[in-house]
Amino acid sequence: MPVNAASAAVPRPLVFAGFPASSWAFALRTWLAMMLALYVSFWLELDSPSSSALTVAVLALPTRGQGMEKAGYRLAATVIGVVASIAIAGLFSQTDGLLLAVFGIWIGLCVYVAGMLDGNRAYAAALCCITVALVAIQQIDTPLQVFPTAVARGAAIGIGVLAVALVNEVLAAPNYHPVLTRRLEALHGRVTDLTQAAGPASATAAASLLHDIAALHPEIASLVTESSIGTARTEAARSALVDLVSALSLGRMLTALPATSPDTTGLMAMSRSWLQAEISRKNAQARGCLHALREGKRPHHAWRAPLYRSRRIAAETAARAAISFMLIALFFVLTGWPSTERCLTLVAAIIGLSSISPAPRIFALVAVTAMPIACALAGILKYLVFNGVSEFQLLAIGLAPVVIGLALLISLPNPMLSSLGRLVLVFMIAVLGPTNPQSYDPEVFLVTSLFACLSAVLVFAAQMLLPPLSGDRRVRLLLGEAGRELDHLGRGRTRHLAPEEAAFRDAALIEQILTANGALPLDGQITAKAMRCFDQAETLRRCCAELDRLRQSPLAGAARIAREALARRSGGAILASAEALRQAAARSKLSANSAIAMLIAAHGAFASSQSPSQGARP
Amino acid sequence: MTNTYRELVVGGVLIAPIVSYAAIALLAFLLLRPLLRFVGFAGWFSNPSLAELSLYVAMFGLLALFL
């Protein structure tokens, strides 16, 4: 292997048994937090000590801020879920089928809300559904136990959160902001390269860059919980994201400017120089935001970064989740098996978790794989390793290799293996169910394992029967929505967003389109179409914003004509209105360079859309 | 000197005083965060988050002791 001077100068990270030292530290922290949570739960004689260990398994994240943010949402979602459980159990406890239907509707509602949010907020929505499953569905035959179960779960989750927080603080778990800063700097470099490239950038490269920028959105919220200057850092990171999208969209406008003809030389030159100045300004603002992020200061301007989510897709996913749950509940009613509420609880939990995964079917497959592994591990631990012991020290030593090993698996960069590691850890704790004193009844263990595996298989079977929205259909729906939004733009219906913020929202739409097919590469034509919509929408918004500024000036008449030309989406009319505006500005001795530059950019965007071979740029 | 701890009653549910102290301390700490940012608290320590946790524990302890 060739070794050059640069690579020799960089210190290699410490690696042990194929895993870096940071992964080992993370695994050790997870095990310590879990043991602390279990010890405190046993000491306080809580009813469900395994819930606190489960909380630690769920909150096992490599950086401190991410874990704390998830913990906050977990607590909030538990409170909402408990209130919903009490309300549902109170109102529908004696209603048989109706109760199951209400559970199904609640699950659908939670999945819908999860579909409209991202990151840990979506997780919180899914957890509302899981909490109801664990509190109300588990006590389906004993509604009077709902409140004590809810209190026990709340206390156990509180202990788990405190254990994770304490271990992360004392053992100095790494902060997330240096990682995020490095990623944002890399994105800034890519945006600068793309905007300074001589020729027009390919739609695929631009779309992939927009996807990478928008994909950081859910992660910046975790900076708030890191330290007292976390709020300023979040604002800086958010503004950097918005500025990067703006710089990229302006760069695309610059490269899409039409070729100069003798009549339009002056207009083109004016537009080009204005766009170049604006790109430099946006790049400088992005650099300022990155500096503010490093220093923990507020940015020059705090942009909002609105999220794009399709209501239609969220509603269709929610309907599928609700119907799947009701079908499985109906199956259990028809079989008449005893103690199936545990199984139904796990079904609701898997449906909730799969709703926040980008590919629900793959998640269900991972769950089907993880469940037998978790049951086998729990069985080995219970009957071969512990085999009747009740001392806490032995429990801690026995759990160490499994918990540390699975935490190492979670720290892997491969999303499939990482997800498998987390699911096996969570399911293993759920099946093992550490209690004080530990129960070693083989019948209980066998029934629990059987029902756990059955629930995963049933969710997978329900997904085969009622397949989730396919990637192609998602892309079609999203492109249709993008097209409709573009049609309405500049024709009365406006959102109260600055053009930069609206551009970020459109970048989130591009991200949705690119992730709709999972890991599969997207068709070049679809990417080109999505990017054409993006370019036209950004140009139109900026044009309208610049023309609105002229509304109170003597150039109001020319601006109105330009708006009418924009509403017609006619490249020729837009060019004529830009020329008219330039003449009106010269007569009134006023400057309207920004509006004229944007009108020329709009002319470029709509002229290229009228000739598809130019617009596609594959 | 012995403290008389009074439980918080919400809709007939008794909540242990330590829980309400923890919540009050958390609220007070969150309100204090802008001030900490203003005085540059994070710059004084090598592990600011641990210092913040210690501050929270101190506030929680004082509340439990004197309230």
Side-chain angles (χ1 to χ4, degrees):
Chain A
M1 197 176 84
V3 177
N4 57 28
S7 69
V10 178
R12 287 187 57 193
L14 195 64
V15 175
F16 180 67
F19 289 95
S22 57
S23 295
W24 281 101
F26 161 67
L28 206 64
R29 281 198 303 273
T30 306
W31 174 70
L32 273 177
M34 196 175 279
M35 291 312 108
L36 180 65
L38 274 177
Y39 187 81
V40 175
S41 304
F42 290 153
W43 178 56
L44 291 175
E45 297 179 10
L46 294 187
D47 286 340
S48 61
S50 57
S51 286
S52 59
L54 274 176
T55 301
V56 175
V58 169
L59 300 182
L61 289 162
T63 57
R64 209 165 44 81
Q66 286 171 303
M68 286 306 290
E69 193 213 2
K70 201 170 183 180
Y73 280 114
R74 192 169 164 85
L75 284 173
T78 304
V79 172
I80 298 171
V82 163
V83 172
S85 303
I86 293 170
I88 292 173
L91 291 173
F92 302 98
S93 65
Q94 303 289 323
T95 54
D96 297 336
L98 183 60
L99 178 63
L100 289 173
V102 170
F103 281 139
I105 291 167
W106 174 255
I107 287 169
L109 196 68
C110 292
V111 171
Y112 176 78
V113 176
M116 296 301 292
L117 299 169
D118 70 341
N120 282 333
R121 290 185 298 167
Y123 166 73
L127 191 68
C128 288
C129 141
I130 298 170
T131 306
V132 169
L134 288 168
V135 174
I137 299 182
Q138 197 143 28
Q139 304 295 338
I140 202 162
D141 297 326
T142 49
L144 286 178
Q145 288 300 311
V146 165
F147 187 73
T149 313
V151 171
R153 182 168 161 78
I157 287 179
I159 298 293
V161 167
L162 286 177
V164 171
L166 191 72
V167 168
N168 278 350
E169 299 283 348
V170 173
L171 296 185
N175 280 326
Y176 190 51
H177 70 87
V179 181
L180 193 67
T181 312
R182 275 200 297 278
R183 289 173 69 180
L184 276 170
E185 279 168 351
L187 284 173
H188 185 226
R190 281 171 65 192
V191 169
T192 316
D193 289 347
L194 213 65
T195 50
Q196 285 174 353
S202 79
T204 317
S208 123
L209 189 47
L210 282 178
H211 164 268
D212 292 351
I213 295 173
L216 277 186
H217 181 267
E219 300 183 25
I220 52 177
S222 65
L223 298 182
V224 176
T225 49
E226 252 179 21
S227 65
S228 55
I229 49 175
T231 321
R233 282 205 167 106
T234 305
E235 277 181 16
R238 195 182 295 134
S239 300
L241 289 181
V242 174
D243 283 337
L244 286 178
V245 172
S246 287
L248 181 65
S249 77
L250 286 166
R252 283 187 63 81
M253 283 176 207
L254 182 65
T255 50
L257 282 182
T260 316
S261 67
D263 303 338
T264 58
T265 316
L267 284 175
M268 291 298 162
M270 181 192 289
S271 180
R272 190 159 279 123
S273 74
W274 186 85
L275 280 172
Q276 278 164 345
E278 193 66 9
I279 292 170
S280 307
R281 195 170 70 83
K282 281 288 161 205
N283 272 327
Q285 284 180 350
R287 270 196 301 278
C289 289
L290 287 174
H291 180 71
L293 175 61
R294 272 190 298 271
E295 300 293 318
K297 291 178 182 155
R298 287 191 187 279
H300 65 96
H301 187 291
W303 293 116
R304 285 175 296 171
L307 195 65
Y308 184 88
R309 285 293 181 267
S310 162
R311 285 206 181 104
R312 174 83 186 270
I313 291 178
E316 288 203 17
T317 315
R320 279 172 166 77
I323 295 170
S324 297
F325 177 80
M326 285 191 233
L327 281 178
I328 295 171
L330 188 69
F331 170 77
F332 283 130
V333 170
L334 291 177
T335 55
W337 291 339
S339 65
T340 45
E341 68 276 359
R342 265 183 162 232
C343 206
L344 211 51
T345 304
L346 268 170
V347 165
I350 297 172
I351 289 177
L353 285 177
S354 71
S355 72
I356 52 170
S357 107
R361 183 171 276 184
I362 293 176
F363 180 86
L365 195 62
V366 173
V368 169
T369 321
M371 202 61 99
I373 301 174
C375 292
L377 277 175
I380 292 169
L381 275 178
K382 211 168 198 173
Y383 297 106
L384 295 179
V385 179
F386 300 139
N387 199 17
V389 299
S390 57
E391 287 84 1
F392 183 78
Q393 302 89 310
L394 296 178
L395 175 76
I397 294 167
L399 277 176
V402 181
V403 174
I404 291 176
L406 291 172
L408 284 174
L409 205 60
I410 293 174
S411 70
L412 286 177
N414 184 334
M416 186 82 106
L417 284 177
S418 176
S419 167
L420 183 72
R422 189 176 299 280
L423 281 183
V424 171
L425 184 60
V426 169
F427 292 152
M428 192 270 290
I429 299 286
V431 175
L432 182 69
T435 47
N436 188 25
Q438 184 70 41
S439 145
Y440 286 97
D441 188 349
E443 195 185 325
V444 171
F445 174 75
L446 276 178
V447 170
T448 310
S449 301
L450 183 73
F451 277 165
C453 292
L454 182 67
S455 58
V457 170
L458 281 176
V459 173
F460 188 69
Q463 284 199 352
M464 299 292 282
L465 198 68
L466 199 72
L469 272 182
S470 71
D472 287 343
R473 187 162 157 70
R474 275 171 196 256
V475 169
R476 269 204 309 279
L477 284 172
L478 287 165
L479 277 178
E481 285 176 15
R484 273 195 297 281
E485 282 211 359
L486 184 63
D487 281 347
H488 291 305
L489 254 174
R491 289 176 180 158
R493 275 179 56 175
T494 49
R495 284 174 176 272
H496 298 289
L497 290 175
E500 287 85 351
E501 294 169 345
F504 185 84
R505 188 170 169 274
D506 285 352
L509 171 65
I510 300 275
E511 188 236 343
Q512 292 274 296
I513 292 177
L514 259 65
T515 46
N517 258 347
L520 296 174
L522 208 58
D523 182 6
Q525 252 185 336
I526 291 172
T527 318
K529 196 175 170 193
M531 283 311 294
R532 200 158 54 241
C533 273
F534 175 82
D535 291 340
Q536 289 180 352
E538 295 340 302
T539 331
L540 267 179
R541 278 202 196 94
R542 281 181 172 269
C543 252
C544 293
E546 294 297 342
L547 291 173
D548 281 351
R549 281 188 202 155
L550 301 177
R551 213 180 256 168
Q552 304 299 328
S553 74
L555 304 174
R560 191 175 45 78
I561 294 168
R563 279 204 76 135
E564 283 167 10
L566 281 176
R568 288 206 302 276
R569 311 284 197 261
S570 150
I574 294 171
L575 185 64
S577 70
E579 178 58 32
L581 185 61
R582 188 173 72 94
Q583 287 172 3
R587 274 197 304 277
S588 321
K589 295 191 171 54
L590 288 168
S591 169
N593 286 1
S594 52
I596 295 167
M598 288 319 302
L599 281 170
I600 298 298
H603 162 60
F606 286 101
S608 65
S609 79
Q610 283 152 9
S611 55
S613 59
Q614 253 186 314
R617 280 189 215 100
Chain B
M1 188 185 81
T2 52
N3 260 336
T4 49
Y5 293 109
R6 277 166 304 186
E7 278 118 348
L8 184 70
V9 185
V10 181
V13 180
L14 302 181
I15 295 174
I18 198 145
V19 178
S20 45
Y21 293 155
I24 293 169
L26 185 66
L27 195 69
F29 183 75
L30 289 178
L31 291 176
L32 202 67
R33 267 169 68 120
L35 184 69
L36 294 182
R37 190 170 57 235
F38 180 72
V39 299
F41 182 81
W44 301 343
F45 302 93
S46 62
N47 188 349
S49 52
L50 188 57
E52 283 173 16
L53 175 75
S54 310
L55 187 63
Y56 170 75
V57 172
M59 286 164 66
F60 176 44
L62 285 174
L63 272 179
L65 204 62
F66 293 115
L67 212 65

